[in-house]
Amino acid sequence: MNAPISPAAPATAGRPKDPLKREAILNAAKNLFLSKGYEGSSMDAIAAEAGVSKLTVYSHFNDKETLFSAAVKSKCEEQLPQPFFEPATGSSIENVLLNIGRGFYHLVNSPESIELHRVMMTQANVDNKLSQMFLDAGPQRVIREMERLLTQANQKHQLQVADPAKAAEHFFCLIKGSDNIRLLIGCNPDLKSPAAVEAHIRDVVGLFLRAYRCP
């Protein structure tokens, strides 16, 4: 694991951070973590890929673990941005769940996500701390946002969910279906067509609503 930047380096506290450089660093980190794995991606290589100095990388992210966590969170937010969990006034809970289901399905089954999960499997017996960081930045973040949404749906009498956290887990497991494991193990000749994916998501949302609809 890369050592933290030397204390002798110029202090950057208080300096405004360049959002374009931060985005470039995150993109470089995502590319390298997927192609080289966690251990094979040095901060020097990430800096070179991003076209910035290593000092700039450290000014945005304190260490490689922090950068990895931020890269996982960034990937999740690409497909499931915060507004997905903030239903607009007048929007039905069904439409909100459909949008979340679509975003999550395409997130978890994307080539980047599949490769990232494979990277984490290889790290499972090497660095439990890294596994926990991945869990917190990715899957747990999505479940927490869904739990918050379902709690709000309870308060608005849109749904009746006794355990929002458990219901959130059930929802995402149902959306994943069998396609995810097929992709993970490289056995994916019969993946669903776009129309079949949409039908699958609608089936899951329909089942979810029947289970938790207010009487």
Side-chain angles (χ1 to χ4, degrees), residues 112-128:
E112 296 85 358
S113 179
I114 292 299
E115 287 304 318
L116 182 56
H117 278 77
R118 288 172 177 165
V119 167
M120 294 314 304
M121 288 177 188
T122 64
Q123 288 287 135
N125 295 321
V126 177
D127 191 343
N128 288 337

Side-chain angles (χ1 to χ4, degrees), residues 162-214:
D163 189 340
K166 184 63 66 177
E169 291 182 6
H170 290 164
F171 180 81
F172 290 125
C173 286
L174 287 168
I175 290 292
K176 282 172 68 173
S178 62
D179 285 352
N180 187 250
I181 186 62
R182 291 183 181 184
L183 286 165
L184 282 171
I185 64 175
C187 182
N188 57 343
D190 300 318
L191 287 182
K192 296 179 176 70
S193 67
V197 168
E198 179 66 15
H200 165 70
I201 293 166
R202 287 184 174 275
D203 283 346
V204 169
V205 169
L207 178 64
F208 194 82
L209 290 174
R210 288 193 295 275
Y212 295 111
R213 196 184 299 278
C214 289

Side-chain angles (χ1 to χ4, degrees), residues 58-190:
Y58 277 110
S59 74
H60 285 269
F61 305 96
N62 292 333
D63 50 40
K64 190 165 75 166
E65 289 178 346
T66 302
L67 178 53
F68 177 80
S69 179
V72 172
K73 182 179 179 182
S74 175
K75 178 59 186 173
C76 289
E77 289 176 343
E78 287 176 10
Q79 293 293 137
L80 286 169
Q82 188 66 31
F84 271 47
F85 298 95
E86 302 288 349
T89 302
S91 180
S92 71
I93 190 65
E94 180 180 11
N95 285 335
V96 173
L97 293 175
L98 284 170
N99 284 333
I100 293 173
R102 293 175 187 124
F104 181 75
Y105 181 93
H106 292 296
L107 166 66
V108 77
N109 291 322
S110 68
E112 296 85 358
S113 179
I114 292 299
E115 287 304 318
L116 182 56
H117 278 77
R118 288 172 177 165
V119 167
M120 294 314 304
M121 288 177 188
T122 64
Q123 288 287 135
N125 295 321
V126 177
D127 191 343
N128 288 337
K129 181 181 178 182
L130 187 66
S131 298
Q132 188 63 52
M133 291 180 70
F134 167 78
L135 188 67
D136 290 342
Q140 283 302 120
R141 174 244 168 200
V142 172
I143 289 172
R144 283 194 302 269
E145 293 294 342
M146 187 66 168
E147 179 185 2
R148 183 173 60 83
L149 172 69
L150 295 177
T151 299
Q152 291 176 349
N154 274 343
Q155 294 167 351
K156 296 176 180 178
H157 305 292
Q158 294 172 309
L159 296 173
Q160 189 174 71
V161 185
D163 189 340
K166 184 63 66 177
E169 291 182 6
H170 290 164
F171 180 81
F172 290 125
C173 286
L174 287 168
I175 290 292
K176 282 172 68 173
S178 62
D179 285 352
N180 187 250
I181 186 62
R182 291 183 181 184
L183 286 165
L184 282 171
I185 64 175
C187 182
N188 57 343
D190 300 318

